[in-house]
Amino acid sequence: MSAQAPTAVILVRAERFVPNPATAADNAFQRDVPAGQSEEATSVKALAEMDALAQALRDAGVRVHVFEDADHTRPDSVFPNNWLSTHSGGYVAVYPMYASNRRHERRADVLEMLKSEYRCQAIVDYSGLEPDGIFLEGTGAMVLDHVSRVAYMAVSHRADSHVLERFCSDFNYEPMAFEAVDSSGVPVYHTNVIACVGTDVALIALEMIPDEHRREQIRERLAVTGRTVVPLTEEQVREFAGNAVELCGRTPQGRRRYVMAMSGRARRSLRPDQVAAIEESCEIVSVDIPTIELAGGSVRCMIAGIHLDRRPVAADGELSVAVSAINEEHPTTADGQDVAMADVVA
């Protein structure tokens, strides 16, 4: 399988979803709910969209772990990729969050699931940097090339270059930080709204990087890996075309299947030539999520990919070889007491 495209993902089913007022100041993609629409109606619509995305991913053969969240104080919990990332070799990272009302989105039950169902060696927690006013909001702030080990990051309030350097040192990535702004000069709040790196294709709004030299460096760094670079316009970015993620599923026959997950709105913004470039290496799976997109994020933001090896699943009641060897009811090897008694008899 590709190291870039995870075969399993985490989604959070936020039962009390509303656009977060604490993040509206620096998120130019965030919008108010339609006039007259109640919070209850907004939540119901969002739940239906979350369920539709989970089902579409399952239909594509992706393993989906869904966590329920009924806490009304966590309006953005539907975006778990901002506090969590996983990495080959059994490593997990937990991140510092910019908005104070997002910091309790971090969940012990999610981490426990990862440790129980996947090979998890260590959890590296950067959240202690929050009191210092230093933030790095996971794979929202960074777009990671897991194959070539490059971390692309548009600098913002939510993406600090010093934490990026620390992350790259800990996880063995090359940092590539840059400035990115819209046509009004407003900094891009999260890198993953303007860029997506897949196994063989990369989508990126190069025109939003004002430094021409840095822009060319980014383009060359993506192209040198052999990827097809698909430039996006700012208009397409506003339709969330950059907020996509490549996943690895399975066909009903069990064959590997690479998909590019994005919203229906993002898919409709793409030109035929861009669609063709993407579909040379993976098929597009799109789901309409207009309510969730009011919060300023789209499909990529909803998905925390699992880049960990899965633990072997034993059949019900079946003991592993190691456990069978120390099974108290039917021991197959002598324990310490047996050995001691044998010595006495001898």
Side-chain angles (χ1 to χ4, degrees), residues 10-12 17-18 20 22-24 26-27 29-30 74-87 92-107 110-111 124-130 134-144 152-154 156-160 163 167 188-195 240 243-245 292 295-305:
I10 293 168
L11 299 180
V12 175
F17 170 87
V18 290
N20 186 355
T23 60
D26 70 334
N27 185 341
F29 297 82
Q30 194 165 323
R74 300 193 286 217
D76 275 340
S77 64
V78 68
F79 301 137
N81 80 310
N82 295 153
W83 70 265
L84 172 74
S85 71
T86 65
H87 304 266
V92 176
V94 175
Y95 296 98
M97 308 282 280
Y98 177 62
S100 59
N101 72 347
R102 294 203 62 191
R103 295 171 188 171
H104 62 303
E105 291 175 20
R106 295 186 289 258
R107 295 174 55 158
V110 173
L111 298 177
V124 182
D125 189 349
Y126 301 103
S127 63
L129 296 170
E130 286 168 350
I134 304 173
F135 312 105
L136 183 72
E137 294 189 338
T139 53
M142 301 178 292
V143 171
L144 301 177
Y152 297 94
M153 190 190 80
S156 73
H157 295 304
R158 309 190 193 193
D160 184 273
V163 194
F167 165 84
V188 171
Y189 84 106
H190 271 168
T191 315
N192 74 358
V193 297
I194 67 167
F240 294 105
N243 200 240
V245 60
I292 293 170
S298 190
V299 165
R300 173 60 187 107
C301 296
M302 296 174 67
I303 293 173

Side-chain angles (χ1 to χ4, degrees), residues 109-123:
D109 58 346
V110 173
L111 298 177
E112 287 302 316
M113 182 279 292
L114 291 174
K115 290 190 286 186
S116 65
E117 297 197 24
Y118 297 87
R119 297 192 184 279
C120 183
Q121 178 170 305
I123 297 175

Side-chain angles (χ1 to χ4, degrees), residues 2 4-11 53 56-58 60-64 197-199 244-250 256-262 281-283 285 299-300 303-307:
S2 164
Q4 189 66 26
T7 60
V9 300
I10 293 168
L11 299 180
L53 176 61
L57 296 182
R58 291 190 182 105
V62 176
R63 189 180 311 115
V64 181
V197 176
T199 303
V245 60
E246 185 189 63
L247 305 171
C248 181
R250 292 282 176 178
R256 195 174 297 128
R257 175 187 186 189
Y258 291 102
V259 300
M260 185 68 77
M262 64 178 64
S281 58
C282 53
E283 58 186 291
V285 171
V299 165
R300 173 60 187 107
I303 293 173
I306 301 177
H307 295 266

